[in-house]
């Protein structure tokens, strides 16, 4: 995995301490994180700063937003080659009913290709069930 510093440099985002911390945190998570989880993890930072950081990341193709049907959006680091004009996160997500975590499934499940002429800007495919960790 690329370092947080490399990713920010590559996307042309100024690497402030807060941005580096949040990106490193997101890289370490096995599942996607919501704003409230980030607030808990960075209780010295204010909510607006965290939110703006996520927005900057999202707008520059660093993280993608996942709408999983819970009351807040979740964010996960992009695996695909995303940039400021377009996200290519055409992977499915999995929401665990036991731990309520939402995981990216980057390799396991690919979404169908769309017919020529359709440009997909946003897509949401959420499978729900029990994750391997909760199953045992
Ligand atoms: Zn993306
Ligand atoms: Zn689980
Ligand atoms: Zn994802």
């Amino acid at each position: 995995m690329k370092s947080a510093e490399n990713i920010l440099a590559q996307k042309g985002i100024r690497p402030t301490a807060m941005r580096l911390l949040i990106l490193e945190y997101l890289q370490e998570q096995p599942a996607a994180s919501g704003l409230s989880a980030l607030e808990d993890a960075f209780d010295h930072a204010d909510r607006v700063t965290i939110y703006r950081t996520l927005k900057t990341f999202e707008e520059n193709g660093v993280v993608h937003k996942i709408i999983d049907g819970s009351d807040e959006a979740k964010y996960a680091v992009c695996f695909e080659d995303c940039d400021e004009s377009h996200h290519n996160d055409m992977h499915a997500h999995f929401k665990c009913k036991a731990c309520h975590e939402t995981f990216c499934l980057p390799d396991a499940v690919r979404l169908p290709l769309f017919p020529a002429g359709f440009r997909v800007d946003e897509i949401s495919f959420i499978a729900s069930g029990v994750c391997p960790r909760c199953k045992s």
Side-chain angles (χ1 to χ4, degrees), residues 11-85:
K11 308 289 184 190
I13 302 170
R14 200 162 51 85
T16 63
M18 195 65 209
R19 286 171 180 165
L20 285 170
L21 283 172
I22 290 182
L23 184 51
E24 276 163 8
Y25 174 86
L26 290 173
Q27 285 180 316
E28 284 163 11
Q29 303 309 307
S33 304
L35 188 56
S36 52
L38 284 159
E39 276 176 46
D40 290 345
F42 300 99
D43 52 359
H44 300 299
D46 74 292
R47 191 188 170 90
V48 177
T49 308
I50 297 173
Y51 182 73
R52 282 204 191 120
T53 305
L54 287 172
K55 266 270 160 270
T56 304
F57 286 173
E58 195 194 350
E59 284 163 8
N60 289 279
V62 176
V63 303
H64 58 287
K65 183 154 79 174
I66 303 154
I67 306 293
D68 66 358
S70 61
D71 44 8
E72 63 174 3
K74 307 254 170 77
Y75 295 86
V77 179
C78 295
F79 308 89
E80 282 87 355
D81 231 356
C82 297
D83 57 38
E84 69 283 352
S85 55

Side-chain angles (χ1 to χ4, degrees), residues 65-120:
K65 183 154 79 174
I66 303 154
I67 306 293
D68 66 358
S70 61
D71 44 8
E72 63 174 3
K74 307 254 170 77
Y75 295 86
V77 179
C78 295
F79 308 89
E80 282 87 355
D81 231 356
C82 297
D83 57 38
E84 69 283 352
S85 55
H86 195 59
H87 277 276
N88 296 307
D89 305 280
M90 295 291 175
H91 56 260
H93 293 97
F94 188 95
K95 189 181 178 194
C96 177
K97 289 188 279 194
C99 63
H100 304 291
E101 299 278 20
T102 297
F103 303 88
C104 293
L105 301 177
D107 303 316
V109 187
R110 303 301 302 182
L111 300 183
L113 289 171
F114 290 86
F118 291 91
R119 194 194 79 180
V120 180

